[in-house]
Amino acid sequence: MKSNTYKFKKHIALGVGALLATTALPLNAFADDADDSGRQETIRVEGQLIDTEVSDIALDMVKFGTQVQLISDLEIETGGFTNFGELAAGLIRGANIGYSPDEGEFTVRIDGGTDRDTLLLVDGVPYFDRSSPLEDLWPATAIDPRMISGVEVYRGGNSLYFGSNGGLGVVSVKTKEPDGTKKGELGFYFGSFETRELYGNFSFPLDQAGKHSVLVSGRSYESDAHELFSSEAYSDNVLALGGKHEFPYSYNSLGLKYLWQIAEDTEFRAGASYATIDFRDSFPNSTVFQPNYTEFPIYNASFKHRFNEKLKLEIEGHYQDPRLQNSEVDAQICQIPRLTDLPSDIEAQARAGGITSFSTAAEFEAFAATVPGLAAGCVTNPYGAAGSASDDNLNGGSSFYINNDPNSPFFNQAYGTQENPFPIGAPIGYVVQSSANFGDGGLTKGFGETDQRTSGYEDMGINARATYTINDYVEIVGGVQNTTYRDNSDAQFGVKDTTLSSTGVYGDLRLSLPVLAGLSTSFAARQDFNDSFSDQSVYKFGLRQDFGAGVYARASGGTSYSLPKIDEIGAFGSNANLNPGLDPQEVEALNVGVGIDRDLFGGTMNIELGYFDTTINNLFSSRSVGSVCLEYANDLATPIQTGLVNSTDAIVRNRANIIPPDSFCSTAVSLGLEDSASVAVNTKNEQDISGVTVDVAFDFDKWNADITFTKMESLENNPVYGVLARLDGTTENLDFVVPGDAGSAVKRQSAERPEWSLSGLISYTPTENWTFSLNPRFQGPEWAYAGTSLARLVDENGNRVVEDMNFGDYFVLNGSMQYQWGDEKQHRILVRGVNLLDEDYFERASGGSGYSRDRAVVRGEIGPNDSAYYRQYGWNGKPQSFWIQYEYAF
């Protein structure tokens, strides 16, 4: 049965470095208890002794210096979150969520890292994109928030135990499991944006003793979603063709879990889930309509056994096969004709007049005016422009197909005839544009079985770890982990049949020596043996000192790494090649903190000051063979090929910013690779991240608050540094660099990394039935940078025409009120409000996208050297909105 006392303050952050609800655990909280596998379930948290589910590894990490935050299922329920991105943004300390349009895809970044530096685990399964030839495929969207029993966040470098992609932290999600009893939940949720949801789970034993039990779950969620992009964000042609539309989101899932409680200290668990997420991600500057259809079949299993009070074994394994299908409908626009598009006699006439091409629409229109009967635009007959040019009468007609010029003799008549052609630069209709740029070259984002290709990958792995306690002072951990992944897309994509595999062996020596009372230390190392890229060694240390009276200090640090994705090793396409010298992306991190945990006013209070420092090296990139291999220089006595474009000096300059792939280059020569072929390399760019944190938590009788402040620098190389300014609308460089920090700063804050944030979770429980909560977030500056071509443009006074876009500096307040009733509080109703103050803000932003489909661009009136060619826009945050949820627990 569900607990009859709703304690919202049961949200805890374990140990020594927690930022939202920080806690110091006394060392006696880790006393061995052979009856419950070497740990006790009742631990001291925020000055209280409470019962909670905490994994062994979380307890161990806290004890040996790692920051660990624990988020309870009760807190998640009170938040009413509809996806894991919302949950992470509201509850995980130091988190920044990288949203794709309509939240159909998102990534979780901790403490200023990239998408690949925070490892998301769900019941031990890494929910990390391995790359597919269509686009990124992030399984984080497959998480069902209704099934989460808790979240553990391990901050700092954590590749030691978990392998790749834990450079800035690990977010470990635990989902609801069968436990041999009969219980369940059934609920529904509805509100703003036509949101409607039905969910439930049911757990029951298969035998009388409860040794075998299962849990089944399901969820169906549909929403029209809020307006993502404002009208001014759209290209005129994309807007005319209906590119501004709703971005509906659909999530459906089924799950099955099994528990075999073999003995008191031995269990086997297995799970299978299948989720589908359908969403659209059309962009204002390009596609008119782009639905995405994703599937996530995911399987996992685990085995735990304690041999005796000294030795225990844990094994986790997984397999997943995510898949993606897209349809992409692009704007078809009347283009400036080429000479070869004209009738042969008219082409000959143009050439006779010295015309070799038309660079602008005005040039062609002037020429057409001199040729009787030649249309000054596009016609569907007799010359046959591709695509549809018929009016959509089923939907009330489309005005852009109709001549709306009252001075035209064809006013109110349809375009598309010789006498009434489509104007150059105007939309004609639609076309399915995307095709494989490698493979068979056929359509990949069409419709139906023939033209709609399936993209995806397979990911499987196993992690086995044994812990042996020698005595009260010394403990040893040893483990082995294998991660294997490969592309699993349709053969038409032409992806190389290459399997990436990494096998790591790791060990950890844990000491609690009586040298200094209250000191625990850990020293660990890992060696990974990798296929298709170089081997990797990492290490980690941790320590924690309890000074007594609630005062503590903790520190952890070491190295981590990120494996290359399938596209980064060069498996996509016949012209991409594997580089055996490719190194994983390397991360070096340090995380320290001091704090105090005291009783106060009949409750508890916790304050901590923290600092983190991270460096990321060996960032992945791609280069052409002829630009980085000295053997392909065109000034050698005997060049390897004719028509090479780079001299030795040029290649040397290109190699200065990368780790030269010399072993690959010699192979490229022996294989006779063309200079245009590509190869994955490591760059010498370095990302520097550092930050300070201040955290305050208190837990009194009716009030609970967890408040965290993070100030962070996440510095990257500035690509505009030293670039010469250019007068807007010209191609001539000026004699000074781009003004301001854009041209003079060697480093800059990484894009989409807030410079500071202040967030909190505040709850008031006046009675055991009512709970009121507020979840405020202050967001400091967060940047979307103009590309170099736009950033360099200045006006006649030497000022930048378009500045970089700060889409931060906002305040968003969410909140909820909840009421529970029934003999065992089995009924729960929640009203959730988002953006209660109706703040106008962006979740993401584009600092300046090119609008190549705008009519003026198509007509040749403006180009990439004109500021009007670009536009800045943002993904709108949710406006003020409300939902209601009812749940019955049994």
Side-chain angles (χ1 to χ4, degrees):
M1 290 294 188
K2 198 168 184 177
S3 172
N4 63 358
T5 302
Y6 184 86
K7 290 269 301 175
F8 182 82
K9 58 189 176 185
K10 203 176 168 185
H11 158 63
I12 57 177
L14 286 178
V16 221
L19 293 183
L20 273 178
T22 41
T23 298
L25 277 73
L27 292 184
N28 60 15
F30 299 91
D32 283 345
D33 184 347
D35 293 335
D36 69 356
S37 303
R39 59 178 288 236
Q40 58 182 42
E41 298 296 337
T42 302
I43 59 177
R44 184 174 176 83
V45 178
E46 296 183 349
Q48 303 179 56
L49 290 177
I50 66 172
D51 293 329
T52 188
E53 291 294 326
V54 184
S55 71
D56 288 351
I57 195 166
L59 290 174
D60 292 337
M61 284 195 168
V62 170
K63 180 179 179 181
F64 296 102
T66 296
Q67 289 182 304
V68 178
Q69 176 193 5
L70 181 68
I71 301 172
S72 73
D73 59 341
L74 298 179
E75 182 177 11
I76 295 168
E77 290 175 357
T78 299
F81 307 107
T82 58
N83 63 57
F84 190 76
E86 287 186 337
L87 186 158
L91 300 180
I92 294 179
R93 61 180 178 266
N96 182 42
I97 309 305
Y99 280 105
S100 188
D102 75 354
E103 300 159 17
E105 296 174 330
F106 54 82
T107 56
V108 181
R109 309 162 180 156
I110 290 181
D111 294 340
T114 66
D115 293 342
R116 66 191 313 138
D117 302 315
T118 299
L119 178 60
L120 176 60
L121 298 173
V122 180
D123 295 329
V125 181
Y127 278 34
F128 182 80
D129 170 55
R130 301 297 183 188
S131 104
S132 75
L134 276 178
E135 58 183 81
D136 289 345
L137 188 55
W138 291 96
T141 55
I143 300 175
D144 181 358
R146 309 301 182 203
M147 281 297 295
I148 298 176
S149 62
V151 180
E152 296 175 352
V153 184
Y154 317 136
R155 293 185 82 174
N158 278 292
S159 287
L160 196 287
Y161 280 97
F162 305 103
S164 173
N165 306 113
L168 281 101
V170 171
V171 177
S172 179
V173 178
K174 308 297 181 183
T175 62
K176 296 173 183 177
E177 300 274 3
D179 60 6
T181 65
K182 184 182 293 186
K183 60 183 178 180
E185 298 168 327
L186 180 65
F188 60 83
Y189 180 94
F190 63 91
S192 298
F193 319 119
E194 299 295 326
T195 299
R196 56 271 186 204
E197 176 187 4
L198 178 66
Y199 66 92
N201 62 83
F202 180 41
S203 177
F204 55 92
L206 297 176
D207 62 328
Q208 188 171 3
K211 286 184 174 293
H212 300 272
S213 58
V214 297
L215 181 150
V216 294
S217 62
R219 181 188 186 219
S220 178
Y221 175 87
E222 308 282 339
S223 176
D224 290 345
H226 64 285
E227 181 183 83
L228 288 179
F229 305 112
S230 303
S231 296
E232 55 270 19
Y234 286 86
S235 164
D236 50 14
N237 280 330
V238 172
L239 189 62
L241 283 168
K244 186 178 188 298
H245 48 68
E246 293 180 340
F247 284 73
Y249 173 82
S250 173
Y251 176 103
N252 293 277
S253 68
L254 291 172
L256 177 66
K257 294 194 170 189
Y258 167 71
L259 166 64
W260 179 15
Q261 192 66 51
I262 302 171
E264 182 179 1
D265 294 325
T266 308
E267 70 174 32
F268 171 78
R269 295 184 181 272
S273 64
Y274 177 77
T276 64
I277 300 95
D278 301 336
F279 63 98
R280 301 178 190 172
D281 67 349
S282 302
F283 290 88
N285 64 325
S286 55
T287 50
V288 176
F289 180 64
Q290 190 171 344
N292 293 255
Y293 312 97
T294 60
E295 301 174 76
F296 294 93
I298 301 173
Y299 309 90
N300 70 291
S302 66
F303 175 78
K304 296 181 181 180
H305 175 65
R306 177 169 284 276
F307 297 91
N308 50 53
E309 64 179 8
K310 291 183 176 294
L311 178 63
K312 65 179 180 180
L313 174 68
E314 302 169 88
I315 304 174
E316 294 178 328
H318 75 273
Y319 172 82
Q320 57 182 323
D321 181 21
R323 297 184 286 266
L324 168 68
Q325 288 184 328
N326 284 19
S327 295
E328 185 173 289
V329 179
D330 207 347
Q332 184 188 7
I333 302 163
C334 179
Q335 304 285 331
I336 302 170
R338 299 164 298 181
L339 286 183
T340 53
D341 295 330
L342 300 175
S344 58
D345 58 332
I346 297 176
E347 178 186 354
Q349 179 180 339
R351 294 188 185 278
I355 298 174
T356 57
S357 65
F358 303 104
S359 60
T360 67
E363 287 181 6
F364 172 74
E365 291 162 349
F367 170 75
T370 68
V371 181
L374 178 61
C378 298
V379 296
T380 57
N381 184 29
Y383 306 123
S388 169
S390 62
D391 196 28
D392 186 6
N393 293 313
L394 293 177
N395 293 303
S398 302
S399 62
F400 54 84
Y401 290 135
I402 306 301
N403 188 324
N404 290 306
D405 183 0
N407 297 318
S408 170
F410 304 101
F411 177 62
N412 265 341
Q413 296 182 29
Y415 286 113
T417 65
Q418 182 73 14
E419 296 78 16
N420 188 30
F422 285 95
I424 294 176
I428 296 177
Y430 314 95
V431 62
V432 178
Q433 180 184 5
S434 296
S435 60
N437 56 4
F438 42 84
D440 68 0
L443 291 175
T444 61
K445 295 187 179 183
F447 294 87
E449 294 182 0
T450 302
D451 293 338
Q452 189 181 61
R453 303 302 183 191
T454 299
S455 167
Y457 57 85
E458 289 181 310
D459 181 335
M460 62 200 79
I462 189 169
N463 195 353
R465 178 169 53 249
T467 304
Y468 184 71
T469 304
I470 297 176
N471 52 43
D472 291 341
Y473 309 118
V474 182
E475 186 173 69
I476 299 174
V477 180
V480 59
Q481 179 183 19
N482 174 266
T483 299
T484 300
Y485 50 101
R486 68 179 187 88
D487 184 80
N488 194 29
S489 305
D490 285 347
Q492 290 84 353
F493 283 104
V495 180
K496 293 183 179 180
D497 186 15
T498 301
T499 298
L500 287 79
S501 182
S502 175
T503 300
V505 180
Y506 58 92
D508 189 1
L509 175 63
R510 299 168 174 174
L511 304 174
S512 299
L513 302 177
V515 177
L516 184 63
L519 175 65
S520 298
T521 61
S522 167
F523 305 93
R526 174 179 177 127
Q527 176 66 46
D528 278 20
F529 305 94
N530 302 319
D531 296 336
S532 301
F533 46 91
S534 66
D535 295 344
Q536 186 77 1
S537 299
V538 299
Y539 72 91
K540 182 180 179 180
F541 70 88
L543 61 88
R544 176 183 173 215
Q545 176 68 59
D546 190 335
F547 297 102
V551 179
Y552 62 88
R554 51 92 190 152
S556 65
T559 55
S560 295
Y561 69 100
S562 296
L563 297 178
K565 297 195 290 186
I566 298 169
D567 60 331
E568 289 168 337
I569 65 162
F572 285 4
S574 58
N575 288 330
N577 301 278
L578 306 183
N579 174 12
L582 190 68
D583 284 321
Q585 186 170 292
E586 296 178 353
V587 182
E588 186 171 1
L590 175 67
N591 198 305
V592 298
V594 294
I596 183 170
D597 184 15
R598 299 294 299 272
D599 294 337
L600 183 69
F601 302 134
T604 63
M605 176 272 297
N606 184 276
I607 300 175
E608 179 180 297
L609 305 178
Y611 172 78
F612 58 89
D613 193 341
T614 305
T615 303
I616 305 176
N617 288 301
N618 288 344
L619 300 173
F620 297 118
S621 187
S622 179
R623 298 289 191 273
S624 68
V625 173
S627 68
V628 297
C629 292
L630 291 167
E631 294 88 339
Y632 284 76
N634 60 13
D635 55 355
L636 298 177
T638 307
I640 190 173
Q641 294 169 4
T642 59
L644 298 174
V645 297
N646 288 305
S647 66
T648 300
D649 288 344
I651 295 174
V652 169
R653 287 194 300 271
N654 293 336
R655 290 161 60 96
N657 295 320
I658 66 169
I659 298 175
D662 290 331
S663 60
F664 164 81
C665 289
S666 60
T667 302
V669 173
S670 63
L671 294 176
L673 295 180
E674 295 292 327
D675 63 319
S676 60
S678 62
V679 59
V681 297
N682 298 112
T683 72
K684 294 181 180 178
N685 293 337
E686 183 176 276
Q687 186 172 17
D688 300 309
I689 305 170
S690 62
V692 295
T693 59
V694 181
D695 309 284
V696 178
F698 61 82
D699 187 358
F700 301 146
D701 182 28
K702 297 181 178 181
W703 288 93
N704 175 278
D706 305 312
I707 301 170
T708 180
F709 171 77
T710 301
K711 180 175 175 55
M712 177 262 299
E713 280 188 338
S714 180
L715 300 180
E716 64 181 8
N717 288 345
N718 175 16
V720 188
Y721 171 70
V723 172
L724 293 176
R726 179 174 290 176
L727 184 63
D728 190 10
T730 73
T731 60
E732 183 178 353
N733 292 339
L734 302 176
D735 59 357
F736 59 91
V737 300
V738 176
D741 290 341
S744 60
V746 177
K747 298 275 189 177
R748 69 183 186 187
Q749 180 80 355
S750 299
E752 297 187 346
R753 305 296 189 276
E755 294 181 10
W756 61 265
S757 63
L758 175 64
S759 60
L761 187 64
I762 304 167
S763 66
Y764 174 57
T765 309
T767 70
E768 65 176 11
N769 303 93
W770 285 98
T771 299
F772 301 88
S773 70
L774 292 175
N775 185 197
R777 180 178 177 87
F778 289 91
Q779 176 75 60
E782 187 171 2
W783 296 94
Y785 294 105
T788 302
S789 295
L790 175 58
R792 71 189 306 180
L793 299 180
V794 298
D795 59 22
E796 294 179 351
N797 297 318
N799 299 315
R800 286 184 62 184
V801 179
V802 178
E803 297 285 349
D804 297 321
M805 187 177 182
N806 174 15
F807 64 98
D809 289 326
Y810 59 78
F811 172 65
V812 174
L813 179 65
N814 303 328
S816 69
M817 60 180 182
Q818 178 175 268
Y819 181 74
Q820 289 181 287
W821 73 96
D823 294 341
E824 298 189 13
K825 302 294 184 293
Q826 66 268 33
H827 300 279
R828 182 170 72 94
I829 191 166
L830 177 142
V831 177
R832 178 192 181 206
V834 167
N835 198 358
L836 297 175
L837 303 181
D838 205 18
E839 178 85 348
D840 186 13
Y841 73 104
F842 292 145
E843 294 279 6
R844 290 181 61 197
S846 169
S849 296
Y851 275 62
S852 60
R853 291 167 176 81
D854 267 3
R855 298 183 190 187
V857 176
V858 176
R859 289 182 58 81
E861 295 162 359
I862 58 176
N865 292 304
D866 299 276
S867 58
Y869 180 83
Y870 305 91
R871 199 166 305 165
Q872 295 179 327
Y873 63 87
W875 285 252
N876 296 321
K878 283 187 174 69
Q880 185 184 78
S881 43
F882 297 91
W883 294 265
I884 188 168
Q885 178 183 9
Y886 168 77
E887 182 178 283
Y888 173 65
F890 55 91

